[in-house]
Amino acid sequence: MASRVDRSAFSEWLWTVDHLMLAGFVTLMLGGVVLSFAGSPPLAERIGLEPYFFVKRQAIYLVPALAVMLGASMLSPRMVRRAALVIFGLCLVALVLVLFTGVEVKGARRWIDILGFSIQPSEFIKPAFVILIAFLLSEAGKRPEVPGRLFSILLFVMVAALFVAQPDFGQTMLLLMVWGALFFMAGLSWVWIGVLGLLGVASLGSAYMLLPHVTARINRFLDPASGDTYQVDTALEAIVQGGWLGRGPGEGTVKRILPDSHTDFIFAVAAEEFGIILCIVLLAIFAFVVLRGLTHARREPDPFVRLATAGLMVMFGIQSAINMAVNLNMMPAKGMTLPFISYGGSSMLAVALAMGFVLALTRKRPRPSRTAPVIVRRVARTPVDPVK
């Protein structure tokens, strides 16, 4: 254990980082590896791979993800902004390349092969986008002459257009919700809030009318008899079969016929094998880290740090809630992973980067005093000769 008098970079990080939040993130990451033992072997066998293929890859991804999160948590707020700008620029170029050279899976181009690794740029651009929007809105609040709101709108339109072109409507809606939340927290007037709400409704309506796969998913959710609901029905059956305590590790049977048991529906697999109680514990961990991050943001005097921290935690919380809601058939399927739990290298690394930024922004830093210090000067007194 490093001493408090030790002034090294590691010691300074160790005594200023939020240990409880860090423990929560590490617990979720380790939980993802454990749950991959339950959800991925049946799928690997069905597609002709070695049973623990996805488990091994998830464990391998865990090492660089931890390194990314810990490395990002050591940055200063200024370095977080600079890193986000570089990541945003690189991912923007990658999103354009994906449309022309990306790997097509289930009718969508979202992945690009780089040095033999399949990377999803949309996952990495999300935390960088939140950081840049927070910076633009904070600058606009401090200096009205800076067109921060206009630039943030242009950035959103640009990124959202690239997401829709893939197409990836789920990530687009997530981005819209986080972007709207940042505007709300930045003190946007109720008129603009109403405009953003209408924009969200219009976007949803346009997607329903113009994108066939979105139309099919919403129709299946509203009227299950109108289409194939096999995956959602199977997930619900797995949850029911698990009960409160689960059927035991490796004893699940419904998971063997669940197509995306290792990614989108890992929550249902966890319920079947470990029970609803474990799912409640998992939900409590997600809620704890989100609420703790928002508490840090509420107490933060720096507008940029406050908006960036809150925006990243809102994104983390909404994505988690969407995945769980889809598993419980409370909303249409969106193909969104459960952070740190679902299988996927890009998802784990991107979420680790985002939460590393959160740990960096919430580290204890000296704050300026509310009152100016009183400077006491000693005035030399000239000795006085005694009166004779």
Side-chain angles (χ1 to χ4, degrees):
M1 179 64 69
S3 171
R4 288 185 179 271
V5 298
D6 184 3
R7 296 302 179 184
S8 65
F10 173 76
S11 179
E12 182 181 356
W13 170 85
L14 184 63
W15 291 109
T16 56
V17 74
D18 188 324
H19 300 102
L20 292 178
M21 191 181 297
L22 176 61
F25 293 145
V26 174
T27 301
L28 291 175
M29 296 172 79
L30 294 176
V33 176
V34 172
L35 290 177
S36 68
F37 277 95
S40 62
L43 175 69
E45 293 177 355
R46 284 202 306 268
I47 62 179
L49 297 175
E50 190 266 330
Y52 295 104
F53 174 81
F54 294 109
V55 177
K56 293 176 181 178
R57 290 178 68 89
Q58 183 84 344
I60 291 173
Y61 292 143
L62 178 64
V63 178
L66 279 171
V68 167
M69 184 174 68
L70 296 179
S73 69
M74 296 183 180
L75 300 177
S76 65
R78 177 177 296 181
M79 292 302 297
V80 168
R81 290 197 299 266
R82 292 177 179 177
L85 182 60
V86 173
I87 294 170
F88 184 86
L90 294 175
C91 290
L92 203 62
V93 174
L95 283 174
V96 175
L97 293 177
V98 161
L99 301 179
F100 301 98
T101 63
V103 179
E104 185 172 346
V105 179
K106 297 181 180 180
R109 292 183 179 271
R110 302 174 186 173
W111 292 266
I112 186 172
D113 286 333
I114 299 178
L115 300 177
F117 294 94
S118 184
I119 297 176
Q120 189 174 357
S122 59
E123 291 286 352
F124 292 94
I125 202 172
K126 290 188 298 182
F129 173 83
V130 172
I131 296 294
L132 293 183
I133 297 299
F135 173 70
L136 290 172
L137 294 180
S138 64
E139 288 298 305
K142 292 186 293 186
R143 295 183 291 175
E145 69 276 8
V146 176
R149 292 179 178 176
L150 176 61
F151 285 156
S152 65
I153 293 173
L154 294 177
L155 282 183
F156 170 74
V157 171
M158 182 168 51
V159 176
L162 291 172
F163 278 12
V164 172
Q166 293 183 355
D168 193 344
F169 185 71
Q171 297 282 19
T172 306
M173 291 305 298
L174 174 63
L175 208 68
L176 175 61
M177 288 186 283
V178 176
W179 180 69
L182 283 170
F183 262 79
F184 177 78
M185 290 183 288
L188 195 64
S189 66
W190 284 103
V191 175
W192 277 102
I193 292 174
V195 171
L196 289 178
L198 292 176
L199 176 63
V201 174
S203 300
L204 182 60
S206 300
Y208 179 79
M209 298 298 295
L210 301 176
L211 300 177
H213 70 284
V214 175
T215 305
R217 287 183 178 182
I218 294 178
N219 287 342
R220 286 197 302 267
F221 176 73
L222 297 176
D223 181 15
S226 64
D228 180 19
T229 59
Y230 172 78
Q231 188 147 243
V232 173
D233 293 340
T234 307
L236 287 176
E237 184 181 353
I239 295 173
V240 172
Q241 291 291 331
W244 286 101
L245 300 177
R247 306 185 63 162
E251 298 299 324
T253 57
V254 181
K255 69 176 185 180
R256 299 182 181 279
I257 57 174
L258 187 58
D260 293 327
S261 59
H262 66 316
T263 53
D264 301 348
F265 292 93
I266 189 68
F267 189 74
V269 174
E272 182 183 16
E273 297 214 342
F274 300 98
I276 296 175
I277 292 180
L278 175 74
C279 292
I280 294 175
V281 172
L282 198 61
L283 175 62
I285 297 175
F286 276 104
F288 169 76
V289 294
V290 170
L291 292 176
R292 191 166 181 85
L294 293 177
T295 301
H296 277 294
R298 183 177 61 86
R299 298 173 179 172
E300 179 58 50
D302 187 332
F304 162 70
V305 176
R306 180 169 62 249
L307 287 175
T309 303
L312 290 172
M313 295 315 302
V314 167
M315 181 177 68
F316 184 81
I318 291 178
Q319 182 170 337
S320 306
I322 289 176
N323 179 276
M324 296 178 189
V326 168
N327 278 254
L328 297 170
N329 198 25
M330 297 175 63
M331 65 185 304
K334 290 185 175 295
M336 199 165 292
T337 58
L338 186 60
F340 287 138
I341 303 297
S342 296
Y343 170 82
S346 292
S347 175
M348 179 175 284
L349 290 172
V351 176
L353 176 67
M355 296 305 101
F357 285 160
V358 169
L359 291 172
L361 295 171
T362 57
R363 284 172 55 189
K364 298 176 183 177
R365 294 181 299 275
R367 297 181 179 180
S369 176
R370 293 181 180 271
T371 57
V374 179
I375 300 176
V376 180
R377 296 181 181 273
R378 286 184 173 273
V379 180
R381 300 181 61 182
T382 304
V384 179
D385 294 335
V387 178
K388 297 182 179 179

PDB file of all heavy atoms in Angstrom, residues 1 6 49 80 89 99 112 117 127 169 273 281 288 322 334 353 388:
ATOM      1  N   MET A   1       0.846  -1.188   0.000  1.00  0.00           N
ATOM      2  CA  MET A   1       0.000   0.000   0.000  1.00  0.00           C
ATOM      3  C   MET A   1       0.881   1.237   0.000  1.00  0.00           C
ATOM      4  O   MET A   1       1.832   1.339   0.773  1.00  0.00           O
ATOM      5  CB  MET A   1      -0.910   0.003   1.234  1.00  0.00           C
ATOM      6  CG  MET A   1      -1.820   1.227   1.312  1.00  0.00           C
ATOM      7  SD  MET A   1      -3.014   1.303  -0.043  1.00  0.00           S
ATOM      8  CE  MET A   1      -4.071  -0.081   0.386  1.00  0.00           C
ATOM      9  N   ASP A   6       3.905   9.631   0.002  1.00  0.00           N
ATOM     10  CA  ASP A   6       4.507   9.310  -1.285  1.00  0.00           C
ATOM     11  C   ASP A   6       3.888  10.185  -2.359  1.00  0.00           C
ATOM     12  O   ASP A   6       2.665  10.223  -2.518  1.00  0.00           O
ATOM     13  CB  ASP A   6       4.277   7.830  -1.606  1.00  0.00           C
ATOM     14  CG  ASP A   6       4.974   7.406  -2.889  1.00  0.00           C
ATOM     15  OD1 ASP A   6       5.682   8.240  -3.491  1.00  0.00           O
ATOM     16  OD2 ASP A   6       4.793   6.240  -3.295  1.00  0.00           O
ATOM     17  N   LEU A  49     -17.778 -24.224 -32.939  1.00  0.00           N
ATOM     18  CA  LEU A  49     -16.550 -23.767 -32.305  1.00  0.00           C
ATOM     19  C   LEU A  49     -16.289 -24.550 -31.027  1.00  0.00           C
ATOM     20  O   LEU A  49     -17.150 -25.275 -30.529  1.00  0.00           O
ATOM     21  CB  LEU A  49     -16.651 -22.273 -31.971  1.00  0.00           C
ATOM     22  CG  LEU A  49     -16.798 -21.316 -33.158  1.00  0.00           C
ATOM     23  CD1 LEU A  49     -17.014 -19.896 -32.663  1.00  0.00           C
ATOM     24  CD2 LEU A  49     -15.571 -21.374 -34.066  1.00  0.00           C
ATOM     25  N   VAL A  80      -8.250  14.514 -20.493  1.00  0.00           N
ATOM     26  CA  VAL A  80      -9.459  13.800 -20.912  1.00  0.00           C
ATOM     27  C   VAL A  80     -10.054  14.467 -22.147  1.00  0.00           C
ATOM     28  O   VAL A  80     -10.450  13.795 -23.110  1.00  0.00           O
ATOM     29  CB  VAL A  80     -10.488  13.754 -19.763  1.00  0.00           C
ATOM     30  CG1 VAL A  80     -11.846  13.292 -20.271  1.00  0.00           C
ATOM     31  CG2 VAL A  80     -10.007  12.831 -18.659  1.00  0.00           C
ATOM     32  N   GLY A  89     -11.914  12.121 -33.617  1.00  0.00           N
ATOM     33  CA  GLY A  89     -11.452  12.285 -34.993  1.00  0.00           C
ATOM     34  C   GLY A  89     -11.161  10.955 -35.669  1.00  0.00           C
ATOM     35  O   GLY A  89     -11.569  10.720 -36.818  1.00  0.00           O
ATOM     36  N   LEU A  99     -18.751   2.337 -43.911  1.00  0.00           N
ATOM     37  CA  LEU A  99     -19.817   2.324 -44.908  1.00  0.00           C
ATOM     38  C   LEU A  99     -19.360   1.729 -46.233  1.00  0.00           C
ATOM     39  O   LEU A  99     -20.189   1.246 -47.020  1.00  0.00           O
ATOM     40  CB  LEU A  99     -20.338   3.749 -45.133  1.00  0.00           C
ATOM     41  CG  LEU A  99     -20.900   4.460 -43.898  1.00  0.00           C
ATOM     42  CD1 LEU A  99     -21.347   5.864 -44.251  1.00  0.00           C
ATOM     43  CD2 LEU A  99     -22.052   3.664 -43.301  1.00  0.00           C
ATOM     44  N   ILE A 112     -15.246  -2.959 -38.667  1.00  0.00           N
ATOM     45  CA  ILE A 112     -14.157  -2.804 -39.613  1.00  0.00           C
ATOM     46  C   ILE A 112     -12.969  -3.627 -39.116  1.00  0.00           C
ATOM     47  O   ILE A 112     -12.689  -3.657 -37.906  1.00  0.00           O
ATOM     48  CB  ILE A 112     -13.777  -1.312 -39.774  1.00  0.00           C
ATOM     49  CG1 ILE A 112     -12.732  -1.133 -40.880  1.00  0.00           C
ATOM     50  CG2 ILE A 112     -13.306  -0.707 -38.465  1.00  0.00           C
ATOM     51  CD1 ILE A 112     -12.468   0.323 -41.220  1.00  0.00           C
ATOM     52  N   PHE A 117      -8.253  -7.597 -36.232  1.00  0.00           N
ATOM     53  CA  PHE A 117      -9.256  -7.463 -35.178  1.00  0.00           C
ATOM     54  C   PHE A 117     -10.479  -6.753 -35.744  1.00  0.00           C
ATOM     55  O   PHE A 117     -10.362  -5.785 -36.498  1.00  0.00           O
ATOM     56  CB  PHE A 117      -8.710  -6.683 -33.986  1.00  0.00           C
ATOM     57  CG  PHE A 117      -7.599  -7.379 -33.257  1.00  0.00           C
ATOM     58  CD1 PHE A 117      -6.270  -7.123 -33.569  1.00  0.00           C
ATOM     59  CD2 PHE A 117      -7.882  -8.289 -32.253  1.00  0.00           C
ATOM     60  CE1 PHE A 117      -5.241  -7.768 -32.896  1.00  0.00           C
ATOM     61  CE2 PHE A 117      -6.857  -8.934 -31.571  1.00  0.00           C
ATOM     62  CZ  PHE A 117      -5.538  -8.677 -31.897  1.00  0.00           C
ATOM     63  N   PRO A 127     -18.258   7.755 -25.975  1.00  0.00           N
ATOM     64  CA  PRO A 127     -17.703   8.524 -24.847  1.00  0.00           C
ATOM     65  C   PRO A 127     -16.992   9.786 -25.289  1.00  0.00           C
ATOM     66  O   PRO A 127     -17.063  10.811 -24.608  1.00  0.00           O
ATOM     67  CB  PRO A 127     -16.738   7.529 -24.190  1.00  0.00           C
ATOM     68  CG  PRO A 127     -16.449   6.500 -25.225  1.00  0.00           C
ATOM     69  CD  PRO A 127     -17.679   6.406 -26.046  1.00  0.00           C
ATOM     70  N   PHE A 169     -30.029   2.084 -35.545  1.00  0.00           N
ATOM     71  CA  PHE A 169     -31.014   3.000 -34.986  1.00  0.00           C
ATOM     72  C   PHE A 169     -30.968   3.002 -33.456  1.00  0.00           C
ATOM     73  O   PHE A 169     -31.211   4.026 -32.821  1.00  0.00           O
ATOM     74  CB  PHE A 169     -32.413   2.624 -35.468  1.00  0.00           C
ATOM     75  CG  PHE A 169     -33.474   3.582 -35.038  1.00  0.00           C
ATOM     76  CD1 PHE A 169     -33.549   4.850 -35.598  1.00  0.00           C
ATOM     77  CD2 PHE A 169     -34.389   3.231 -34.059  1.00  0.00           C
ATOM     78  CE1 PHE A 169     -34.529   5.738 -35.190  1.00  0.00           C
ATOM     79  CE2 PHE A 169     -35.369   4.117 -33.652  1.00  0.00           C
ATOM     80  CZ  PHE A 169     -35.441   5.383 -34.218  1.00  0.00           C
ATOM     81  N   GLU A 273     -29.907 -19.414 -14.696  1.00  0.00           N
ATOM     82  CA  GLU A 273     -28.947 -20.243 -13.956  1.00  0.00           C
ATOM     83  C   GLU A 273     -28.725 -19.771 -12.521  1.00  0.00           C
ATOM     84  O   GLU A 273     -28.450 -20.591 -11.648  1.00  0.00           O
ATOM     85  CB  GLU A 273     -27.627 -20.285 -14.710  1.00  0.00           C
ATOM     86  CG  GLU A 273     -27.732 -20.925 -16.078  1.00  0.00           C
ATOM     87  CD  GLU A 273     -26.475 -21.684 -16.456  1.00  0.00           C
ATOM     88  OE1 GLU A 273     -25.432 -21.432 -15.839  1.00  0.00           O
ATOM     89  OE2 GLU A 273     -26.562 -22.517 -17.374  1.00  0.00           O
ATOM     90  N   VAL A 281     -29.243  -8.202  -7.628  1.00  0.00           N
ATOM     91  CA  VAL A 281     -27.918  -7.769  -7.176  1.00  0.00           C
ATOM     92  C   VAL A 281     -27.174  -7.059  -8.305  1.00  0.00           C
ATOM     93  O   VAL A 281     -26.546  -6.009  -8.109  1.00  0.00           O
ATOM     94  CB  VAL A 281     -27.100  -8.970  -6.658  1.00  0.00           C
ATOM     95  CG1 VAL A 281     -25.656  -8.567  -6.380  1.00  0.00           C
ATOM     96  CG2 VAL A 281     -27.744  -9.550  -5.403  1.00  0.00           C
ATOM     97  N   PHE A 288     -25.913   1.536  -8.255  1.00  0.00           N
ATOM     98  CA  PHE A 288     -24.966   2.148  -7.323  1.00  0.00           C
ATOM     99  C   PHE A 288     -23.935   3.006  -8.039  1.00  0.00           C
ATOM    100  O   PHE A 288     -23.703   4.160  -7.662  1.00  0.00           O
ATOM    101  CB  PHE A 288     -24.262   1.061  -6.503  1.00  0.00           C
ATOM    102  CG  PHE A 288     -23.101   1.570  -5.704  1.00  0.00           C
ATOM    103  CD1 PHE A 288     -23.298   2.288  -4.546  1.00  0.00           C
ATOM    104  CD2 PHE A 288     -21.791   1.332  -6.130  1.00  0.00           C
ATOM    105  CE1 PHE A 288     -22.223   2.771  -3.807  1.00  0.00           C
ATOM    106  CE2 PHE A 288     -20.717   1.803  -5.402  1.00  0.00           C
ATOM    107  CZ  PHE A 288     -20.928   2.536  -4.235  1.00  0.00           C
ATOM    108  N   ILE A 322     -31.851  -0.264 -21.073  1.00  0.00           N
ATOM    109  CA  ILE A 322     -32.425  -0.730 -22.335  1.00  0.00           C
ATOM    110  C   ILE A 322     -32.208  -2.228 -22.496  1.00  0.00           C
ATOM    111  O   ILE A 322     -33.125  -2.970 -22.864  1.00  0.00           O
ATOM    112  CB  ILE A 322     -31.823   0.044 -23.519  1.00  0.00           C
ATOM    113  CG1 ILE A 322     -32.343   1.486 -23.536  1.00  0.00           C
ATOM    114  CG2 ILE A 322     -32.142  -0.649 -24.838  1.00  0.00           C
ATOM    115  CD1 ILE A 322     -31.723   2.356 -24.604  1.00  0.00           C
ATOM    116  N   LYS A 334     -33.399  -3.952 -29.438  1.00  0.00           N
ATOM    117  CA  LYS A 334     -32.553  -2.933 -30.055  1.00  0.00           C
ATOM    118  C   LYS A 334     -31.141  -3.424 -30.338  1.00  0.00           C
ATOM    119  O   LYS A 334     -30.337  -2.700 -30.892  1.00  0.00           O
ATOM    120  CB  LYS A 334     -32.474  -1.690 -29.145  1.00  0.00           C
ATOM    121  CG  LYS A 334     -33.777  -0.912 -29.067  1.00  0.00           C
ATOM    122  CD  LYS A 334     -33.596   0.357 -28.270  1.00  0.00           C
ATOM    123  CE  LYS A 334     -34.869   1.195 -28.300  1.00  0.00           C
ATOM    124  NZ  LYS A 334     -35.181   1.679 -29.634  1.00  0.00           N
ATOM    125  N   LEU A 353     -13.133   2.510 -21.377  1.00  0.00           N
ATOM    126  CA  LEU A 353     -12.611   3.850 -21.643  1.00  0.00           C
ATOM    127  C   LEU A 353     -13.525   4.918 -21.058  1.00  0.00           C
ATOM    128  O   LEU A 353     -13.057   5.858 -20.394  1.00  0.00           O
ATOM    129  CB  LEU A 353     -12.470   4.049 -23.159  1.00  0.00           C
ATOM    130  CG  LEU A 353     -12.021   5.433 -23.620  1.00  0.00           C
ATOM    131  CD1 LEU A 353     -10.585   5.706 -23.180  1.00  0.00           C
ATOM    132  CD2 LEU A 353     -12.147   5.562 -25.137  1.00  0.00           C
ATOM    133  N   LYS A 388      14.209  58.994  29.991  1.00  0.00           N
ATOM    134  CA  LYS A 388      15.031  59.200  31.163  1.00  0.00           C
ATOM    135  C   LYS A 388      14.415  60.262  32.059  1.00  0.00           C
ATOM    136  O   LYS A 388      13.929  61.243  31.552  1.00  0.00           O
ATOM    137  CB  LYS A 388      16.458  59.620  30.783  1.00  0.00           C
ATOM    138  CG  LYS A 388      17.178  58.536  29.995  1.00  0.00           C
ATOM    139  CD  LYS A 388      18.584  58.975  29.677  1.00  0.00           C
ATOM    140  CE  LYS A 388      19.350  57.893  28.914  1.00  0.00           C
ATOM    141  NZ  LYS A 388      20.712  58.295  28.565  1.00  0.00           N
TER     142      LYS A 388
END
